Amino acid sequence: MPPSALQERPVPGLLRQARRELMNSGNLPPDLILPELTRSWMRCWSAGLQPCGRTPGAPHASGAQLARALDVQRELVAHARPVMEFLLDQTRETDSMVVLAGADGMLLHASGDPHFVSRAERVALRPGATWHEQYRGTNAIGTALTDDRALVVHADEHFLERNGFLTCAAAPIHAPDGRLLGALDVSGDYRGYHRHTLGLVRSAARMIEHRLFETRHDLRQWGGVRLRLHAQPEGLGTVTEGLLAVREDGLIVGASATALDLLGLAWQSLQHARLDTVLVEPLDQLLDWCQRSAYIPRVVHTLSGQAVWLRVEAGRSSTFVHRAVAPPAAVAEVADALAAMDTGDAVLQAAIARARKLMGKPIPLLLLGESGVGKEVFARAVHDSGPRKSQPFVAVNCAALPEHLIEAELFGYQGGAFTGARREGAPGRIREAHGGTLFLDEIGDMPPPLQSRLLRVLQDQQVVPLGGGKPVSVDFALVCATHRKLPQEMQAGRFREDLYYRINGLTLQLPALRERSDFDALLARQLRSLVPGHLIMIAPDLLACLRRYAWPGNIRQLANALRTACALLDEQESVIAWQHLPDDLAQALTQAPSTPRDEGEGDAAPVQDLRTVSRQTIARTVSACGGNLSEAARVLGISRNTLYRKLRDQDV
């Protein structure tokens, strides 16, 4: 629910006029005051309240009744009190107080500046009193509970004139299952009104909801999984993250307000919405991530296309865990070649998700990206993950073949079609791809005359060999790739416009290595494939330089550099250092400027303090060692006890 606060304060004269109109006619003229305030005042009038004079019959709990209410709401009160103390510290000496109310409007706990508390008690703003709207008129607590939204009620906006000395900001508090538990409020003298108070109260209410969620879905007792969500990876684990609780059948049974905002859900959606109706990635994929590397944030996508960072948590006793590590065959069914490419980069994950939706459909795929980003690897992964995976994958590099041979290579030829042709002829690469996938790499370099022939093949789904012969029907999935900007090539007359629109069913831009956010994970995967069964690490100072490097050759260059470095390791060595690099790369690394991966949006300081560098180095090493602290200590060159102490002191 978006925040709503009677934010544009009505002019006092209009408020007085509205009150007179209401008392004289029992109605409020439209557009005299804000619609939210009009609705609340009309509810109060319908409940029989009068703006002037004392309020008859407003309930007030006895000491015993208040004690019973506190006992019933003990979980809410227990989690709210520390937050209220924090809120009180932020508002101290502002002539105000902090108030907690239950869902029925009864005030459960209050504290604040003694002078203001004394004034507030004159209008029964104290524990035991009920401030529901039907008894106390328009007020922040009662109206926030009625409308289920955060709001401010300031001075004469209160329905009862006797409460006009107050300015109040309140926000509702929900249980993880969406039930309304109560409201948190800051009330003060109207002369001290500040527009930031509402934001402070809303944040405090979310802190309480966060603690209620953590308690209700404690993984030591609860059998489902928790999802931590945030728009940025650094936000995971903070009070600004969103929280979701998901049952084994995929039903969302608990949430925080932040998670609902991220996913476009409402509290009423809980117990009805399933995870697969809000996220592209299936639950089994999330569980697999949880088992393989629970501490690594991953990027998921909402059905609206928004990228969100996520961390998955499952309790030890959870049936999810057993399902996730159940038979290897089950895992193999979920994992495929495209999934194997995913190491956490949001742009690449989005490309994979979109490519999946095309598999098995007669829509050509056009891959764009710099040389070395892995366009052919991506194309082969699409083929190996789709319904044609048992059929041929035929790759043709249009830039590598001589112009006089590429026509025969693609379309085939009859025997004797040209000098040097084989007697029996050749089917050509297009016919070889029948039933499978044809990958045309660097199609932007295809000579113009061949572009016309290729267009005819794509239109007619038939190929005619050089030298004549009957047309042969062909059926293949088409994937093309290029590093060139084809729209510019069309304008220059080097690429046919009609061919461009024929091959451009879906265009995917693969990110350059310097633009990817998953560099460390990609590095680790490359090392595992080069030296299977052995843990190979990168020296911390070298790793920092590798991250900063622009990698003009992209993943191809990285793979070649790591292959050389691993070959230069002595048998007893497990850490790649500067001496293991080719000389040209070592020189380039030392002279390389920073890339966006290291730079902030503003003018960041070029050198971090030693404590920060130490903390980051330890965290990366522990992560790279899969949480094995003994191995991490060995790689760092410190004792295990020293590592334990640093982890404890730095809270890594």
Side-chain angles (χ1 to χ4, degrees):
M1 184 75 63
S4 175
L6 313 179
Q7 289 169 350
E8 298 178 2
R9 305 266 68 85
V11 177
L14 293 179
L15 288 168
R16 290 192 292 270
Q17 180 183 345
R19 187 172 275 107
R20 286 194 302 270
E21 291 279 356
L22 180 62
M23 295 180 68
N24 291 334
S25 65
N27 286 300
L28 285 172
D31 302 327
L32 191 59
I33 57 177
L34 294 175
E36 298 97 325
L37 193 56
T38 297
R39 289 193 295 268
S40 176
W41 278 22
M42 291 306 300
R43 288 195 299 263
C44 299
W45 182 262
S46 299
L49 297 180
Q50 294 293 320
C52 304
R54 300 188 64 83
T55 306
H60 196 296
S62 65
Q65 290 171 328
L66 177 59
R68 283 196 295 272
L70 289 170
D71 184 59
V72 170
Q73 294 271 43
R74 58 183 177 276
E75 185 180 26
L76 170 63
V77 175
H79 289 301
R81 292 185 77 161
V83 177
M84 293 176 70
E85 291 175 6
F86 166 78
L87 197 54
L88 191 61
D89 284 340
Q90 310 311 306
T91 57
R92 197 176 301 280
E93 298 181 358
T94 59
D95 215 15
S96 62
M97 63 189 297
V98 181
V99 183
L100 176 69
D104 59 357
M106 180 189 291
L107 307 193
L108 301 174
H109 184 66
S111 58
D113 297 334
H115 174 68
F116 181 78
V117 169
S118 177
R119 293 178 62 198
E121 287 180 346
R122 299 174 192 170
V123 293
L125 192 59
R126 60 178 180 268
T130 297
W131 274 71
H132 196 280
E133 195 180 66
Q134 64 177 318
Y135 300 116
R136 304 284 177 179
T138 304
N139 69 90
I141 294 172
T143 306
L145 291 171
T146 300
D147 288 349
D148 194 11
R149 61 184 176 186
L151 53 81
V152 170
V153 177
H154 175 68
D156 289 339
E157 294 166 9
H158 288 86
F159 184 78
L160 302 183
E161 286 188 339
R162 65 195 303 260
N163 295 331
F165 73 97
L166 296 170
T167 183
C168 309
I173 301 170
H174 293 88
D177 60 7
R179 289 180 298 112
L180 183 62
L181 296 179
L184 186 66
D185 168 81
V186 170
S187 292
D189 187 290
Y190 78 98
R191 291 168 294 187
Y193 164 75
H194 199 295
R195 65 179 59 193
H196 292 164
T197 305
L198 179 64
L200 192 61
V201 172
R202 291 183 68 244
S203 298
R206 292 200 170 183
M207 291 169 66
I208 297 170
E209 291 175 345
H210 197 104
R211 291 299 305 133
L212 288 167
F213 182 100
E214 296 274 13
T215 302
R216 188 72 53 85
H217 299 291
D218 187 333
L219 293 177
R220 291 171 295 183
Q221 288 85 32
W222 190 61
V225 295
R226 295 189 312 204
L227 307 182
R228 300 182 181 273
L229 306 162
H230 202 278
Q232 302 172 2
E234 296 82 3
L236 296 174
T238 71
V239 295
T240 63
E241 70 181 352
L243 298 167
L244 278 186
V246 183
R247 259 181 11 193
E248 185 175 4
D249 60 1
L251 191 67
I252 301 173
V253 296
S256 68
T258 304
L260 297 178
D261 290 345
L262 280 172
L263 301 176
L265 297 175
W267 288 111
Q268 294 80 5
S269 304
L270 298 182
Q271 312 295 332
H272 303 289
R274 295 175 52 82
L275 192 65
D276 57 12
T277 64
V278 293
L279 292 182
V280 172
E281 289 73 12
L283 180 57
D284 285 343
Q285 175 68 66
L286 306 187
L287 293 172
D288 181 56
W289 288 343
C290 178
Q291 285 301 304
R292 288 193 286 124
S293 50
Y295 48 86
I296 295 180
R298 305 279 186 166
V299 172
V300 294
H301 302 84
T302 66
L303 292 187
S304 63
Q306 179 185 6
V308 179
W309 288 89
L310 168 144
R311 186 180 296 147
V312 189
E313 299 173 338
R316 292 183 178 180
S317 61
S318 171
T319 56
F320 277 110
V321 175
H322 303 298
R323 189 180 82 183
V325 296
V331 175
E333 290 176 3
V334 175
D336 57 19
L338 279 173
M341 291 191 67
D342 180 10
T343 49
D345 179 72
V347 176
L348 185 62
Q349 285 178 334
I352 290 173
R354 300 184 73 189
R356 282 191 188 282
K357 295 180 179 180
L358 260 66
M359 292 191 304
K361 300 176 181 177
I363 300 175
L365 184 62
L366 177 60
L367 304 179
L368 305 180
E370 299 176 5
S371 296
V373 296
K375 296 187 289 293
E376 182 172 349
V377 174
F378 191 94
R380 186 176 291 274
V382 171
H383 170 79
D384 291 342
S385 303
R388 297 176 182 260
K389 60 184 177 182
S390 61
Q391 300 300 317
F393 175 84
V394 177
V396 179
N397 189 327
C398 300
L401 291 173
E403 185 171 339
H404 65 282
L405 291 180
I406 189 172
E407 187 173 15
E409 181 77 10
L410 273 177
F411 304 106
Y413 56 87
Q414 297 278 52
F418 54 88
T419 303
R422 291 187 300 182
R423 181 182 303 174
E424 68 276 15
R429 304 293 276 165
I430 292 178
R431 287 174 60 185
E432 289 176 0
H434 179 69
T437 299
L438 176 65
F439 174 60
L440 299 179
D441 196 10
E442 300 301 351
I443 193 170
D445 295 288
M446 178 178 281
L450 268 68
Q451 294 177 25
S452 300
R453 287 206 61 185
L454 176 62
L455 178 62
R456 177 56 61 100
V457 171
L458 297 180
Q459 289 174 339
D460 299 342
Q461 295 186 315
Q462 292 181 330
V463 60
V464 178
L466 286 176
K470 294 182 179 180
V472 179
S473 296
V474 287
D475 169 42
F476 53 82
L478 179 65
V479 182
C480 300
T482 182
H483 71 283
R484 297 188 181 277
K485 299 184 184 300
L486 293 185
Q488 296 180 7
E489 296 295 303
M490 288 190 295
Q491 292 178 1
R494 291 188 292 267
F495 199 84
R496 291 181 62 103
E497 185 175 356
D498 46 5
L499 177 60
Y500 174 73
Y501 292 116
R502 175 64 67 172
I503 67 175
N504 184 19
L506 172 67
T507 298
L508 296 178
Q509 177 79 43
L510 301 187
L513 179 56
R514 62 183 171 276
E515 298 168 348
R516 291 178 59 161
S517 61
D518 59 345
F519 181 81
D520 286 10
L522 184 61
L523 190 70
R525 189 181 70 180
Q526 294 275 358
L527 290 172
R528 286 196 301 270
S529 65
L530 289 170
V531 192
H534 296 277
L535 180 63
I536 303 298
M537 304 292 296
I538 309 289
D541 59 331
L542 174 58
L543 180 59
C545 291
L546 293 176
R547 290 195 188 101
R548 286 196 299 269
Y549 188 48
W551 295 105
N554 292 294
I555 299 175
R556 183 185 296 119
Q557 182 188 11
L558 173 64
N560 289 338
L562 293 178
R563 186 178 295 109
T564 300
C566 289
L568 292 177
L569 285 171
D570 291 336
E571 187 174 346
Q572 72 279 9
E573 289 182 313
S574 61
V575 179
I576 295 175
W578 287 93
Q579 66 269 23
H580 302 115
L581 297 182
D583 290 346
D584 58 339
L585 178 60
Q587 182 178 3
L589 289 175
T590 58
Q591 299 173 351
S594 295
T595 68
R597 187 160 36 229
D598 295 297
E599 295 172 352
E601 294 183 0
D603 297 327
V607 181
Q608 294 176 303
D609 63 272
L610 186 58
R611 182 183 298 275
T612 301
V613 173
S614 173
R615 182 171 62 251
Q616 293 176 346
T617 301
I618 290 173
R620 292 188 186 114
T621 305
V622 171
S623 175
C625 293
N628 186 328
L629 297 185
S630 297
E631 180 65 20
R634 187 184 68 78
V635 171
L636 290 166
I638 59 179
S639 70
R640 191 167 54 182
N641 288 338
T642 300
L643 177 59
Y644 288 153
R645 177 176 55 78
K646 288 182 176 294
L647 289 171
R648 184 173 59 253
D649 293 345
Q650 299 178 355
D651 191 25
V652 173

